Amino acid sequence: MKQIGIGLAGFGTVGMGVFRHLSRNRNLLSQRLGFELWVRRIAVLDPNKSRSVDTSAQPVTGNWEDLIVDPGVQIIVELMGGIEEPLRLITRAIEAGKTVVTGNKALLAKHGKELFDLATAKQVPIFFEAAVAGGIPIIKAVRESFIGNHIKSVHGIINGTTNYILTRMTEAGLDYAHALGEAQAQGYAESDPTLDVNGWDAAHKAIILASLAYGTWICPSKVFVEGIEKVTARDIGFAKMLGYRIKLLGIIKADDDGSRSIEVRVHPTLIPEKHVLASVNGVFNALCVNGDVVGETLFYGRGAGQDPTASAVIADLAEAAHALDSKRRDFGFMPHGLYGDCKPLDEILCQYYLRIPVDDKPGVLAQVAGVLGALNIGISSMIQPESDGQSAELILMLHDATHAQVREAIARITALPSVEGAPTLLRVEHFTP
Amino acid sequence: MKQIGIGLAGFGTVGMGVFRHLSRNRNLLSQRLGFELWVRRIAVLDPNKSRSVDTSAQPVTGNWEDLIVDPGVQIIVELMGGIEEPLRLITRAIEAGKTVVTGNKALLAKHGKELFDLATAKQVPIFFEAAVAGGIPIIKAVRESFIGNHIKSVHGIINGTTNYILTRMTEAGLDYAHALGEAQAQGYAESDPTLDVNGWDAAHKAIILASLAYGTWICPSKVFVEGIEKVTARDIGFAKMLGYRIKLLGIIKADDDGSRSIEVRVHPTLIPEKHVLASVNGVFNALCVNGDVVGETLFYGRGAGQDPTASAVIADLAEAAHALDSKRRDFGFMPHGLYGDCKPLDEILCQYYLRIPVDDKPGVLAQVAGVLGALNIGISSMIQPESDGQSAELILMLHDATHAQVREAIARITALPSVEGAPTLLRVEHFTP
């Protein structure tokens, strides 16, 4: 059976998982694929470190250049982490004509354009199923299965750490700090959880999805990103009373009008409790894709971890092997010039949840409602919980408004004498079936 | 731009949908694909019938042989319905070296082996994403994305008609006949709903999934199939009290032991109300795939209808165009000889729900429990609803037992003097995360 030579760069959790499962399911995979996927060399930071996996059949090197110069290595798998070093490795691999498989979302979000331009020029495919939502085959689905669809929107729970934290806050009433501590104790959050909780891990994935759906690499500075650090158990409770759950969503959308302008944003979002996404709990990920032909679809599974991510990398290796064999070049699945630019935040239209700390005095609601009315923002529902007699809270659900309108409303409301502090603003998404 | 010529056989709901969306999203599709998909000829039953779609640019013929002999037709799309006529068409197409796209599940379930043997001999690919679960890309996911996984199980809600009926019975408390009537009035059930409600439509899809996952065409006679005709609102109510929903599931499983024997079955099934599948309602389909590397995943969407099915056919056309261009032959994704045969029904192990009509007299429960104990079948929980004083019912949830054990238990229980009639038996599935 024909062998395809693999150079594995990075032998941490995911790299080791790929190696282990390639060996464990070797027969099954070879029979299905018609090729044998053979790891020829492994590049690691420290070749002398002792490891739990037997790599006696593979030379282990401390220098990834050894993978590039090995003529038997046809596919380079980059699972090193970081940005600058993988960028150098992948650039070298493409220049050397080697197929690339990577799961590096931060790298692609930042340097996707230059890497894919180079790959196109050199006719070398890059596969990256593992970069978004671990074992869920969302890259393949958007790029291949929905190729006949204008993608109206993708709403994704694409960060397991924050979904775990929000789930625990919702189910056990924990506050943010406690839920984060629990996630760290369980190994679901890193000791420095910044990139997860501030929304940027999800933003990298949203950028990659947007590039697939709309054929353009969005500049990270154009993406509106808000993390979950300020979400309170109190807001989760009010959202529940109103029939919503709060999830950190990565959202991409494109208008189906002439402009076809794009939205890419990540923020804590109120979604109707009856929607399937609302019941995606714990570390699970899920993506709701709405195509103009297929309608609403949902993909659910584990978005991180050794095994699910290894499953995605192995699928890419199989695809890469086929591509090498047939000279098929499917990385070109990207339309250009058919979609517009990223919509400025101020023009983005959505619905909102607003919690306003106010004095418990007559007339306050009239003042707040007056501000909203003057700015032409409709109120769809309202709660005023029983107060302690001195200060109170108003919780308002607002109809569609632009960010610019709502920004102005918040400035005016905050300035009202009966308002005790800055209101809490969260965004709301409804789904059209 | 290179044109790929398509011959469309069948111009009913789905055929017309494919034609319409190919034309509507033509620019997007061509730019993504790098080819233009062009319908060159359409074969219909009656070429003189007036249609709502403008086909003035395409010769319409009453004879599908015209598609085969047209040298510009490279792909034949079979959407005619029926079995014998499509079998002749596809056989002819393969012999003529034309790529085939079909959504015909009944045909593949019955003649899959001979068609794929012929296709392999002639090196002609057959694509069939539309044959299972409409717009949900489950064929691609199982065949390509999970290629590195031993598929432990697939649990699928793969018939929208029965899911609509069961949803209405659950939510509105309707009985079967009323819910079926409503489904027919809504256009979700045909005037002759036999193939849907008796489980055979789902069985065809389960056979196709099993062939992908386990590389073997299961003979339909080996599949255990039970429809929803005998499911009562009463059983749905008791299931609810016990924390379950009743869904018609297509189930495929393979043991991960040496035998790797396969189970393929379709039946109304109690599933835990907290599992994601339990909240898949109405005409929606969903499949829960458990792979030994990726873990539990779920795919959700519309399983039938003009647009979702057209989305799947168009994805296959894109795939077929790539395959034609690159001489890629990916239909070989099937392992052989790695899995065993279909397990006989009597050996299948699962859990059960049993409702037994009994006399309201002391000692009855002891007799029933005695029968089960003697056969070594454990009881996991029980309800005895308030009776009318004369007859009563026992609802038992049973631990794992083989079908042979349970068959014997039912025979003995039915023969008990205090038992008033044949017990109702339903199967229960739990999911390991």
Side-chain angles (χ1 to χ4, degrees):
Chain A
M1 187 176 282
K2 196 168 163 182
Q3 247 186 23
I4 302 278
I6 295 166
L8 187 52
F11 207 60
T13 308
V14 177
M16 224 179 277
V18 171
F19 185 82
R20 205 160 52 83
H21 290 296
L22 275 179
S23 137
R24 205 172 57 88
N25 282 346
R26 184 175 304 281
N27 286 343
L28 191 64
L29 188 54
S30 301
Q31 291 216 25
R32 283 175 176 164
L33 189 56
F35 309 105
E36 193 186 1
L37 300 175
W38 177 245
V39 177
R40 282 179 62 91
R41 283 176 194 274
I42 301 173
V44 296
L45 215 53
D46 173 9
N48 298 317
K49 193 169 135 186
S50 88
R51 293 184 167 82
S52 60
V53 177
D54 175 19
T55 57
S56 51
Q58 280 81 15
V60 173
T61 169
N63 180 6
W64 53 252
E65 185 66 28
D66 293 345
L67 311 183
I68 308 281
V69 298
D70 180 344
V73 167
Q74 295 162 276
I75 305 172
I76 299 282
V77 181
E78 183 279 306
L79 298 166
M80 302 194 292
I83 292 191
E84 296 311 319
E85 194 76 4
L87 178 62
R88 276 193 294 276
L89 164 66
I90 293 178
T91 306
R92 276 285 289 130
I94 295 170
E95 283 167 348
K98 315 237 169 195
T99 301
V100 171
V101 172
T102 179
N104 196 325
K105 59 217 79 158
L107 174 67
L108 293 179
K110 200 169 165 197
H111 297 287
K113 183 162 171 29
E114 59 194 274
L115 285 175
F116 280 87
D117 283 352
L118 182 65
T120 304
K122 300 281 180 187
Q123 289 287 296
V124 169
I126 303 176
F127 296 95
F128 51 101
E129 184 65 78
V132 182
I136 304 173
I138 191 67
I139 299 294
K140 194 177 268 283
V142 170
R143 193 168 66 166
E144 300 177 23
S145 301
F146 299 154
I147 190 169
N149 287 256
H150 157 67
I151 305 290
K152 292 158 80 172
S153 60
V154 180
H155 290 83
I157 296 174
I158 44 182
N159 180 279
T161 306
T162 48
N163 202 46
Y164 180 85
I165 293 172
L166 292 174
T167 299
R168 292 297 293 155
M169 291 175 74
T170 305
E171 288 181 354
L174 301 184
D175 64 22
Y176 171 72
H178 277 90
L180 171 59
E182 203 186 274
Q184 286 170 321
Q186 299 276 337
Y188 297 146
E190 299 182 44
S191 52
D192 176 3
T194 313
L195 259 185
D196 290 313
V197 299
N198 73 7
W200 272 99
D201 173 77
H204 293 150
K205 296 165 185 167
I207 288 171
I208 294 172
L209 288 171
S211 97
L212 282 172
Y214 306 125
T216 176
W217 286 97
I218 306 291
C219 176
S221 68
K222 289 194 175 174
V223 179
F224 171 63
V225 182
E226 186 178 293
I228 64 160
E229 304 97 322
K230 290 181 185 157
V231 174
T232 64
R234 198 161 173 78
D235 290 311
I236 289 176
F238 288 131
K240 257 191 187 173
M241 286 171 62
L242 291 157
Y244 294 86
R245 294 290 175 275
I246 299 184
K247 297 286 183 189
L248 182 74
L249 291 191
I251 300 171
I252 67 168
K253 283 188 188 182
D255 294 339
D256 199 11
D257 56 14
S259 80
R260 290 204 161 179
S261 66
I262 298 168
E263 287 176 36
V264 183
R265 48 194 166 103
V266 173
H267 50 69
T269 315
L270 278 75
I271 56 175
E273 65 188 354
K274 291 221 159 178
H275 192 270
V276 213
L277 274 184
S279 55
V280 174
N281 289 320
V283 293
F284 276 89
N285 283 18
L287 297 105
C288 184
V289 182
N290 198 321
D292 69 342
V293 183
V294 75
E296 183 172 284
T297 62
L298 182 118
F299 299 78
Y300 167 94
R302 288 182 186 275
Q306 182 173 55
D307 296 340
T309 314
S311 175
V313 171
I314 294 171
D316 274 356
L317 285 170
E319 194 79 31
H322 269 304
L324 280 165
D325 186 60
S326 64
K327 310 278 179 263
R328 170 172 163 167
R329 296 284 174 265
D330 26 8
F331 60 100
F333 271 20
M334 282 191 198
H336 293 279
L338 287 170
Y339 288 88
D341 201 3
C342 215
K343 204 184 266 191
L345 176 61
D346 269 357
E347 292 173 22
I348 290 179
L349 205 67
C350 75
Q351 293 168 28
Y352 301 87
Y353 159 101
L354 196 58
R355 175 164 61 86
I356 312 170
V358 294
D359 296 340
D360 190 8
K361 286 192 306 203
V364 180
L365 177 59
Q367 291 167 27
V368 169
V371 168
L372 293 169
L375 288 161
N376 215 7
I377 302 174
I379 298 169
S380 62
S381 65
M382 208 207 88
I383 306 178
Q384 180 174 347
E386 199 70 45
S387 84
D388 59 8
Q390 294 212 322
S391 59
E393 282 181 317
L394 299 177
I395 291 94
L396 303 170
M397 299 294 285
L398 307 182
H399 281 302
D400 267 336
T402 65
H403 184 78
Q405 277 175 292
V406 163
R407 209 164 29 83
E408 177 62 23
I410 287 186
R412 293 193 200 172
I413 288 169
T414 310
L416 290 174
S418 327
V419 168
E420 292 186 343
T424 298
L425 181 75
L426 292 169
R427 286 162 179 79
V428 183
E429 288 283 311
H430 286 274
F431 298 82
T432 38
Chain B
M1 187 174 285
K2 196 168 161 181
Q3 247 187 25
I4 302 278
I6 295 165
L8 186 51
F11 207 60
T13 308
V14 177
M16 225 180 274
V18 170
F19 186 82
R20 203 159 55 82
H21 290 296
L22 275 179
S23 136
R24 207 171 58 87
N25 282 345
R26 182 176 303 281
N27 285 343
L28 192 64
L29 187 55
S30 300
Q31 292 217 24
R32 284 176 175 165
L33 188 57
F35 308 104
E36 193 186 0
L37 300 175
W38 178 247
V39 178
R40 283 179 61 92
R41 282 176 195 275
I42 302 172
V44 296
L45 216 54
D46 174 9
N48 298 318
K49 192 170 137 186
S50 88
R51 292 183 168 82
S52 60
V53 178
D54 174 19
T55 57
S56 50
Q58 279 78 16
V60 173
T61 167
N63 179 6
W64 53 252
E65 186 66 26
D66 293 345
L67 312 181
I68 308 279
V69 298
D70 180 345
V73 166
Q74 295 161 276
I75 305 172
I76 298 281
V77 182
E78 183 278 305
L79 298 166
M80 301 193 293
I83 292 192
E84 296 311 319
E85 192 78 2
L87 178 63
R88 274 193 295 276
L89 164 66
I90 294 178
T91 306
R92 278 284 290 132
I94 296 170
E95 283 167 348
K98 317 238 168 193
T99 301
V100 171
V101 172
T102 178
N104 196 325
K105 59 217 77 157
L107 173 67
L108 293 179
K110 200 168 166 199
H111 298 286
K113 183 160 170 32
E114 59 192 274
L115 285 175
F116 280 86
D117 283 351
L118 181 64
T120 305
K122 299 282 180 187
Q123 288 287 296
V124 169
I126 304 176
F127 296 95
F128 51 100
E129 185 64 80
V132 182
I136 303 174
I138 191 66
I139 299 295
K140 193 177 268 283
V142 171
R143 192 167 67 164
E144 301 178 22
S145 301
F146 299 153
I147 189 169
N149 288 257
H150 157 66
I151 305 291
K152 292 157 79 173
S153 61
V154 180
H155 290 84
I157 296 174
I158 43 182
N159 180 279
T161 306
T162 48
N163 202 46
Y164 179 85
I165 293 171
L166 292 174
T167 299
R168 292 297 294 155
M169 290 174 75
T170 304
E171 289 181 353
L174 302 183
D175 64 23
Y176 170 73
H178 277 91
L180 171 60
E182 203 185 274
Q184 286 170 320
Q186 299 276 337
Y188 296 146
E190 299 181 43
S191 52
D192 176 3
T194 312
L195 259 185
D196 291 313
V197 299
N198 73 7
W200 272 99
D201 172 77
H204 292 150
K205 296 166 184 167
I207 288 171
I208 294 172
L209 288 171
S211 98
L212 282 173
Y214 306 126
T216 176
W217 286 97
I218 306 291
C219 174
S221 69
K222 290 193 174 176
V223 179
F224 171 64
V225 182
E226 186 179 294
I228 64 161
E229 305 97 323
K230 290 180 185 160
V231 174
T232 64
R234 195 159 176 80
D235 291 310
I236 289 177
F238 288 130
K240 257 191 186 172
M241 287 172 62
L242 291 157
Y244 294 86
R245 294 288 176 278
I246 299 182
K247 297 287 184 188
L248 182 74
L249 292 191
I251 300 172
I252 68 168
K253 283 189 188 181
D255 294 338
D256 198 11
D257 56 15
S259 78
R260 290 205 161 179
S261 65
I262 299 167
E263 287 175 36
V264 183
R265 48 194 166 102
V266 173
H267 49 69
T269 314
L270 278 75
I271 57 176
E273 65 188 356
K274 290 219 160 179
H275 192 272
V276 212
L277 273 184
S279 56
V280 173
N281 290 320
V283 291
F284 276 89
N285 282 21
L287 297 105
C288 184
V289 182
N290 199 322
D292 69 342
V293 184
V294 75
E296 184 173 285
T297 61
L298 182 119
F299 300 78
Y300 167 94
R302 287 182 185 275
Q306 182 174 56
D307 296 342
T309 313
S311 175
V313 171
I314 293 171
D316 274 355
L317 285 170
E319 195 78 31
H322 268 304
L324 280 166
D325 186 59
S326 65
K327 311 276 179 262
R328 169 171 164 166
R329 295 285 174 265
D330 26 9
F331 59 99
F333 272 21
M334 281 191 198
H336 292 279
L338 287 170
Y339 288 88
D341 201 3
C342 215
K343 203 184 268 190
L345 176 60
D346 268 356
E347 291 172 23
I348 290 178
L349 204 67
C350 75
Q351 293 168 28
Y352 301 87
Y353 159 102
L354 196 57
R355 176 164 59 87
I356 312 169
V358 294
D359 295 340
D360 191 7
K361 285 194 303 202
V364 180
L365 178 57
Q367 291 168 26
V368 168
V371 167
L372 293 169
L375 288 162
N376 215 8
I377 302 174
I379 298 170
S380 62
S381 63
M382 208 207 88
I383 307 177
Q384 180 175 347
E386 199 71 45
S387 84
D388 60 6
Q390 294 213 321
S391 60
E393 281 181 316
L394 299 178
I395 291 95
L396 303 171
M397 299 294 285
L398 307 182
H399 281 303
D400 267 336
T402 64
H403 185 77
Q405 277 175 291
V406 163
R407 209 165 27 84
E408 178 61 24
I410 286 186
R412 293 195 199 170
I413 288 169
T414 310
L416 290 174
S418 325
V419 167
E420 291 188 343
T424 299
L425 180 76
L426 293 168
R427 286 162 179 80
V428 182
E429 287 284 310
H430 286 275
F431 299 83
T432 38

